[in-house]
Amino acid sequence: MRDERGEGPARLSPAAARAALNEAISRAGRDGALTDVAAVIEWPGFRRRLVARIAGWTRAERSATADPTENHEPTLRAQWAIFGRYREVLRELHAEDDEGLATWASKTLLKTPPKSFKSLNEVVFLDPSLDSPAPWRVVQFAQAQSRSVTLTLTLDSDPSLGEVYGEAASIRARLLDSGFQETKLGPDSRRPKGLRDVEHELFRSDGHLRPRLRDPDGLKVAGAPQGEGMALVLAREIKRLIERGTDPEEILVLFRRWDDDADLILKTLQAWGLPAAAERRVAFAAAPVIAALRLAMVIPGEQWEATTLIQWLRHGQVRPPWAAEHGPLALAKTAAAIRAIRVFRGLDPIRRALDRTISEARSQGKEAPHVVVARAVLDRLAAVIGTLDQPGPWHYQCEGLRNLASSLGIGAIDDPLLEALWDALDEHGAVLEGLGQAGQTWTWTRFTREVESLTAELAGPPLPCAPGTIRLAEVDEVAGSRAPWIFLANLGEGMFPTRDSIDLSRTTATEEEAQSVAQANPAFAREMLRFLGVVGSADTGLVLAYATSDAQGQELLRAGFLDDLLGLFTPEAVASPRVHESHRRFDPTLTDWPELAGAPADARVRAVALACTQREFTSLRALARQPRHRRILEGTAAAIRVAQSRLQSTHFGAYDGRIGDSRVIERIVKKFGPDYTFSPSQLETFLFCPFQFYLRYMLKLAPVDERDELEEDYTERGSRVHHVLELLERMLAQEPGNRLERAEALILNERRSEPKSGSDIDLGIHEIEQRRMIRTLRRYVRQHDAYESAQKSGNPAPYLFEVDFGLEGGEDESFPSLVLGAGADSVRLQGKIDRIDLVSCSDLSAYRVIDYKTGACPSKNDVKDAIYLQLPLYALAVERIILKTAEVRLHDVGYWALAADGFKSITLKNWDQDREALETYVTDVVGQLRQGQFVVDSCKDDCIQRCEYSSVCRIRQVRAARKVREGEPSLELKV
């Protein structure tokens, strides 16, 4: 009508209306009208309710100049303040939202209708929504300008249904007063009797006095486990209909509200090969292509945060046209390289860390091709993104965002969601221009925050359903539609009726509705009418589905209206499974439910389960003959053979880590032979779990490091503590003095140290680490005083610190390796001893080996059982290499718990005999390693809780089979 007249307000799109609302909120905030809601004004829930409230006031044609909010609660006052300023913004724009445009059009239609509307022949209104003045004006105009007006109205005049049809009855009365003549139409006799009876009997106020229904013809109720169980039952019912000749277009699957369970039902129908689709508007924020763009645009504002950068590089929608220049999987290699360097943010720090990795690799005569690729990709990415972080007007920033998407290959050129987003941003800009704000400067960070908010609130265009498909939709999306078969799914508690319709305070009802709640709840009445509308829309059959139990097996309540419906019938009428079936759970293999295994994957699972548990091979043979199943089943068969091999014997085999291939063993010996230098921690890993050693040192699988920016790097902290303690003791050794004073000098020096970078987070972490180091130093001084006073004989004197052995090729000076055994069975060892003290004894000086621990210390029993070999091996290295020429003997060894009570002595009481046994034990252990004995056998029962490789370990299967290692070396040290 506006187009024909050539004048009138412009129609605001959702994006433009949102921009206008933002301006209204800003004005209300500047005027001090939002004090009571300042904390929640940006909450999505508040914004949704605000939009609905404004739409209701606009439909009701409330005057924004009036102030009906006196003595109202604060939230409503704030909403009214925003509403007034919103109407003011729309007047400035000479525009209207959908509700306002309807009001304008209806008033204009009465005053100056377009020529094409002045001579109408027949006008038909099908169940119009006459809940505001605008549609009543249209009806009034039709009465005045057309020869015939027909209006349909859903109404049952039975007084016992007055609550349901009360609103319709008042509309009927008004229509009759305006001159309409009434023609009553009864129920369609061609519909099944059960559906007709339900439509007439449900929600009657005298229902408790009426006889129960006996004929449920046309009705079926199905209960199944929530999620997949319900999806399978619905898929079975729909498949049966199609097999009986029902056209897919004649089936409508409805939900009161679309949720994850609705998504699962759609995917299940498609997995069964059924032509199902949902014409739904995709939220911008949920679209993968928009998610990729959002990740890219926030990288500069987040100071090149590594987590965001890695997430973007791994996104499937990112396909830069220049990525192929750097070889296959260039983006994935870049993500892996950035993750490995453990830099959390900052373009320059990431660059420096990559350069350092490349330099270190080349200094060792190696190449790091994936890091080189990462460096090149990062530079290309910086060239694209680095130009964005500068201020400019809205249209300038929008153009930058478009160029970003194009340069990074995000989405196709004509991607409908991207096009919808560009349109939304342009419409937002048009509002700014209409308000005289087109030249306003936007920083890139502020612009991206606004885009983030926009994509969270708006949705893209709906994807249309192809012809010949089963349509899935929300009830309100298809109001007024009819179909031969209707499925109403997910009828759980809170769906029919919704909680909002029961509690009027949760709705966006107008004040008039809120005041009339004492007489009737209009929202609840509409909910009842909505449910009856679904019942009345099914021409042939109606299937109502509800969840019986959740994923944990807990019973769930049905929707209240479904209970009301079932209560209409006699128990006998709904006793038949053809009318009402209910299942609490299904076996995941579906062995007893062949009709539910309609998806190819489910069919394979069921066939394999039948073959394994019941020795029934018919289904498996049938599937194996089909090419689409055969390759997958071959993989399944291989997995079953592996599992069976693990479980059929109490001995470790090839699938439990015991390597039997001579060629592989030869490679193991070549790698870990007499020339290889082990560390004590490697031997301890093997003793703790041979399979873990295999994963870490043979396959070189690095555990996934999920530590975030704020978590502590225990390795780096431990190294730093060791270094500071070495400095302290060396200072005291060179110039004896007060340990506390020297420690305070180190503390002062520590306070002067600078963080690696200047970000706020780095500064905060640096401060935390400084304070921890200071506490550790002061605690260490107290511990050392106790350590000296506890010595009964002469005071222990620190002698050597950070002593290396077996690291001859390193940068630091090192003693030779410790060699145990001889010939092909010999074992070379290396290590770094934190500290060696000399203890004065009556007859001969003795040495003490100390290992600092910033965390928990191994127990004395672990040392006794030769699980932790570090201290005994260090003692052997001191005796045979480091102090070989000195006349000293072992006094004791011990861990120094820096976070607890200081030094804890462990005395090796039978060292003269145990040292030989220790040497034999180590060579035997390494002998098993060289034989490929990497069995899945941890010495700790709780290994699963703390093992970094638990996701790829089968320790549970091994323990279930009660497997036993044969010929395992053992040693018990006397402590």
Side-chain angles (χ1 to χ4, degrees):
M1 189 173 74
R2 185 197 61 209
D3 293 342
E4 186 172 330
R5 287 171 52 88
E7 60 179 4
R11 176 185 177 274
L12 290 182
S13 68
R18 175 187 171 279
L21 180 60
N22 285 349
E23 175 63 19
I25 292 173
S26 296
R27 293 182 182 183
R30 289 195 296 268
D31 294 342
L34 304 183
T35 305
D36 295 326
V37 296
V40 300
I41 193 67
E42 297 298 332
W43 290 10
F46 180 86
R47 296 291 283 259
R48 285 194 297 269
R49 289 179 177 275
L50 174 63
V51 169
R53 182 80 70 179
I54 289 176
W57 282 332
T58 305
R59 280 195 302 271
E61 302 181 16
R62 302 290 296 274
S63 173
T65 58
D67 186 6
T69 62
E70 187 177 352
N71 299 324
H72 278 59
E73 54 96 11
T75 301
L76 195 59
R77 280 201 304 271
Q79 290 176 336
W80 185 263
I82 295 171
F83 174 62
R85 289 156 180 83
Y86 176 69
R87 298 304 309 169
E88 177 185 284
V89 170
L90 295 188
R91 286 193 298 273
E92 293 177 20
L93 294 171
H94 192 54
E96 286 288 355
D97 54 19
D98 288 347
E99 291 78 15
L101 192 63
T103 299
W104 170 85
S106 66
K107 290 179 177 179
T108 304
L109 192 63
L110 283 180
K111 294 179 180 178
T112 55
K115 293 180 180 179
S116 61
F117 280 63
K118 289 183 177 179
S119 57
L120 300 176
N121 185 20
E122 182 178 5
V123 177
V124 179
F125 296 96
L126 296 176
D127 289 343
S129 177
L130 300 173
D131 58 350
S132 62
W136 279 108
R137 292 193 193 98
V138 178
V139 173
Q140 181 183 349
F141 170 81
Q143 283 184 281
Q145 298 293 332
S146 61
R147 296 179 181 179
S148 169
V149 179
T150 302
L151 186 147
T152 65
L153 186 65
T154 302
L155 175 67
D156 192 322
S157 57
D158 192 316
S160 64
L161 291 170
E163 182 182 6
V164 181
Y165 297 103
E167 193 173 13
S170 64
I171 294 174
R172 170 182 174 270
R174 182 172 174 179
L175 290 171
L176 292 176
D177 290 343
S178 64
F180 277 86
Q181 295 181 348
E182 183 177 39
T183 301
K184 295 183 178 181
L185 300 176
D188 188 350
S189 60
R190 294 170 297 180
R191 297 180 68 227
K193 186 175 186 303
L195 298 182
R196 285 184 280 128
D197 289 345
V198 167
E199 201 173 1
H200 184 67
E201 296 294 327
L202 192 60
F203 305 133
R204 295 178 65 97
S205 61
D206 61 350
H208 60 290
L209 302 175
R210 298 178 66 82
R212 299 282 187 92
L213 303 179
R214 298 181 179 276
D215 186 357
D217 184 31
L219 178 70
K220 177 161 186 178
V221 180
Q226 187 179 41
E228 187 178 3
M230 182 183 294
L232 293 176
V233 169
L234 290 178
R236 178 198 64 188
E237 295 299 315
I238 292 172
K239 183 178 180 180
R240 286 175 176 173
L241 288 178
I242 293 177
E243 288 175 345
R244 291 200 296 263
T246 302
D247 192 293
E249 287 188 334
E250 296 178 343
I251 300 172
L252 192 58
V253 183
L254 300 180
F255 308 91
R256 182 64 184 89
R257 182 178 64 246
W258 194 275
D259 55 15
D260 291 341
D261 288 335
D263 272 326
L264 180 58
I265 290 172
L266 173 60
K267 292 175 182 177
T268 301
L269 295 178
Q270 293 171 341
W272 280 48
L274 300 172
E279 189 172 326
R280 296 196 50 74
R281 294 174 64 87
V282 179
F284 279 131
V289 65
I290 304 298
L293 180 62
R294 289 165 61 204
L295 284 172
M297 72 183 186
V298 301
I299 288 174
E302 293 184 354
Q303 300 178 11
W304 289 77
E305 185 174 304
T307 302
T308 302
L309 181 57
I310 292 168
Q311 189 177 358
W312 179 82
L313 288 165
R314 291 175 173 172
H315 202 288
Q317 291 289 329
V318 178
R319 292 179 289 271
W322 42 262
E325 301 173 13
H326 304 284
L329 302 176
L331 299 186
K333 292 176 181 177
T334 303
I338 293 174
R339 186 180 186 87
I341 60 177
R342 303 301 303 160
V343 173
F344 292 104
R345 68 176 65 238
L347 177 59
D348 289 336
I350 293 174
R351 280 172 165 161
R352 288 195 297 268
L354 292 175
D355 290 341
R356 187 166 55 250
T357 303
I358 295 171
S359 177
E360 289 174 356
R362 288 174 177 170
S363 67
Q364 299 172 10
K366 302 177 182 178
E367 294 294 331
H370 65 291
V371 185
V372 174
V373 168
R375 187 65 168 83
V377 169
L378 187 66
D379 286 343
R380 293 293 294 269
L381 186 58
V384 174
I385 296 181
T387 60
L388 299 174
D389 197 6
Q390 49 188 312
W394 179 266
H395 68 87
Y396 174 83
Q397 303 291 26
C398 289
E399 188 63 29
L401 191 61
R402 286 189 178 91
N403 292 336
L404 178 68
S406 175
S407 301
L408 299 181
I410 299 175
I413 296 177
D414 56 350
D415 187 286
L417 283 171
L418 276 181
E419 289 299 320
L421 177 60
W422 305 145
D423 290 343
L425 295 176
D426 288 342
E427 289 154 2
H428 185 106
V431 171
L432 296 179
E433 184 176 357
L435 296 172
Q437 300 175 11
Q440 186 182 70
T441 299
W442 291 72
T443 65
W444 181 255
T445 300
R446 181 187 171 203
F447 171 75
T448 56
R449 278 201 303 265
E450 188 62 29
V451 175
E452 286 271 7
S453 178
L454 183 147
T455 56
E457 295 178 28
L458 302 181
L463 302 177
C465 296
T469 58
I470 304 161
R471 183 174 179 184
L472 286 75
E474 290 185 3
V475 170
D476 290 344
E477 291 176 340
V478 293
S481 300
R482 301 187 66 85
W485 285 93
I486 289 182
F487 290 74
L488 184 57
N490 292 349
L491 285 174
E493 183 185 22
M495 286 297 183
F496 260 122
T498 62
R499 293 180 174 87
D500 284 348
S501 66
I502 298 172
D503 181 6
L504 196 64
S505 65
R506 295 164 58 110
T507 71
T508 55
T510 62
E511 283 81 356
E512 290 78 2
E513 287 183 341
Q515 292 167 3
S516 67
V517 70
Q519 291 75 33
N521 182 343
F524 188 69
R526 293 182 196 128
E527 193 74 357
M528 291 189 287
L529 196 59
R530 185 178 283 111
F531 189 77
L532 287 175
V534 175
V535 176
S537 298
D539 292 333
T540 305
L542 173 67
V543 179
L544 305 174
Y546 66 94
T548 56
S549 58
D550 61 16
Q552 288 72 42
Q554 299 294 320
E555 184 177 2
L556 297 176
L557 297 178
R558 296 186 297 232
F561 288 173
L562 178 57
D563 281 336
D564 293 342
L565 184 148
L566 290 173
L568 297 175
F569 292 91
T570 63
E572 296 78 16
V574 294
S576 169
R578 297 180 60 184
V579 179
H580 184 193
E581 62 173 312
S582 180
H583 311 283
R584 286 294 302 273
R585 69 178 300 273
F586 294 125
D587 187 308
T589 64
L590 301 176
T591 50
D592 297 327
W593 298 92
E595 69 273 19
L596 297 182
D602 290 337
R604 290 190 292 268
V605 170
R606 181 176 180 274
V608 172
L610 286 173
C612 292
T613 61
Q614 302 179 22
R615 314 301 294 173
E616 206 289 303
F617 300 100
T618 305
S619 299
L620 188 58
R621 290 193 186 100
L623 293 178
R625 294 190 186 101
Q626 302 177 37
R628 65 170 180 160
H629 292 293
R630 185 167 185 83
R631 185 174 181 181
I632 299 173
L633 289 174
E634 287 174 347
T636 304
I640 292 174
R641 283 194 295 270
V642 170
Q644 183 65 18
S645 174
R646 286 198 182 108
L647 297 174
Q648 70 181 357
S649 172
T650 58
H651 300 289
F652 287 93
Y655 300 118
D656 307 310
R658 184 170 187 169
I659 296 176
D661 191 313
S662 59
R663 295 169 298 177
V664 177
I665 293 176
E666 184 178 344
R667 293 181 62 183
I668 294 172
V669 172
K670 184 177 180 180
K671 177 177 177 59
F672 295 107
D675 295 331
Y676 183 85
T677 306
F678 290 91
S679 68
S681 63
Q682 287 179 312
L683 296 183
E684 289 173 352
T685 299
F686 185 83
L687 291 168
F688 178 79
C689 178
F691 187 64
Q692 186 184 109
F693 179 94
Y694 176 72
L695 296 174
R696 189 185 299 274
Y697 298 110
M698 274 293 293
L699 300 184
K700 297 187 180 300
L701 296 181
V704 176
D705 189 352
E706 298 292 352
R707 180 168 54 89
D708 64 28
E709 187 171 6
L710 297 179
E711 289 186 72
E712 187 175 2
D713 187 337
Y714 294 105
T715 302
E716 182 178 347
R717 178 169 175 253
S719 299
R720 195 166 163 217
V721 169
H722 282 52
H723 174 68
V724 172
L725 294 182
E726 180 188 1
L727 284 178
L728 175 62
E729 294 299 338
R730 286 191 185 278
M731 288 168 57
L732 289 167
Q734 293 171 5
E735 186 178 345
N738 185 282
R739 180 172 273 100
L740 180 59
E741 292 178 358
R742 298 298 170 83
E744 291 297 336
L746 281 176
I747 288 172
L748 182 61
N749 185 63
E750 183 68 23
R751 289 186 184 277
R752 294 170 179 162
S753 64
E754 296 294 331
K756 294 180 179 178
S757 62
S759 71
D760 291 341
I761 291 180
D762 287 330
L763 290 171
I765 292 176
H766 180 71
E767 178 65 23
I768 292 171
E769 286 299 325
Q770 276 191 324
R771 295 184 183 185
R772 283 180 171 173
M773 177 62 75
I774 291 168
R775 287 200 303 270
T776 299
L777 273 173
R778 288 173 176 164
R779 188 187 303 116
Y780 171 75
V781 171
R782 294 193 298 271
Q783 291 172 349
H784 208 284
D785 290 342
Y787 169 68
E788 292 179 336
S789 62
Q791 192 67 34
K792 295 179 181 179
S793 55
N795 283 339
Y799 183 60
L800 294 173
F801 308 95
E802 301 294 320
V803 183
D804 292 333
F805 66 93
L807 300 173
E808 293 92 333
E811 297 179 359
D812 299 329
E813 185 178 348
S814 173
F815 287 92
S817 301
L818 172 65
V819 180
L820 305 181
D825 296 331
S826 64
V827 178
R828 298 173 63 87
L829 293 168
Q830 65 180 12
K832 181 187 285 287
I833 303 174
D834 291 340
R835 174 170 161 179
I836 302 172
D837 282 8
L838 293 181
V839 182
S840 299
C841 297
S842 57
D843 55 344
L844 188 67
S845 293
Y847 66 90
R848 168 179 287 158
V849 177
I850 298 174
D851 188 65
Y852 293 128
K853 293 293 184 185
T854 54
C857 298
S859 68
K860 185 178 292 188
N861 284 335
D862 286 335
V863 177
K864 172 186 174 183
D865 296 335
I867 297 174
Y868 285 90
L869 295 175
Q870 182 187 42
L871 289 178
L873 289 176
Y874 281 0
L876 203 57
V878 171
E879 188 174 275
R880 294 188 178 181
I881 304 171
I882 300 168
L883 300 180
K884 179 180 180 180
T885 60
E887 294 184 0
V888 293
R889 61 179 176 83
L890 176 65
H891 186 276
D892 59 2
V893 297
Y895 295 105
W896 194 301
L898 294 167
D901 301 328
F903 179 72
K904 297 294 183 183
S905 173
I906 301 175
T907 303
L908 300 174
K909 297 180 179 179
N910 199 14
W911 180 241
D912 290 338
Q913 288 75 34
D914 283 347
R915 67 162 66 89
E916 304 302 328
L918 175 63
E919 181 171 359
T920 302
Y921 176 69
V922 170
T923 55
D924 289 346
V925 166
V926 174
Q928 284 209 331
L929 185 155
R930 290 168 177 166
Q931 293 169 13
Q933 303 297 309
F934 302 113
V935 295
V936 184
D937 185 26
S938 173
C939 65
K940 297 291 185 180
D941 293 335
D942 62 346
C943 63
I944 299 173
Q945 301 175 7
R946 50 199 178 100
C947 181
E948 298 170 312
Y949 298 95
S950 58
S951 60
V952 294
C953 181
R954 295 294 179 267
I955 188 69
R956 287 189 177 92
Q957 289 185 359
V958 169
R959 287 174 175 171
R962 301 182 182 278
K963 293 182 180 290
V964 179
R965 290 172 65 180
E966 298 176 349
E968 179 184 4
S970 63
L971 173 65
E972 182 175 314
L973 299 173
K974 190 172 182 60
V975 298

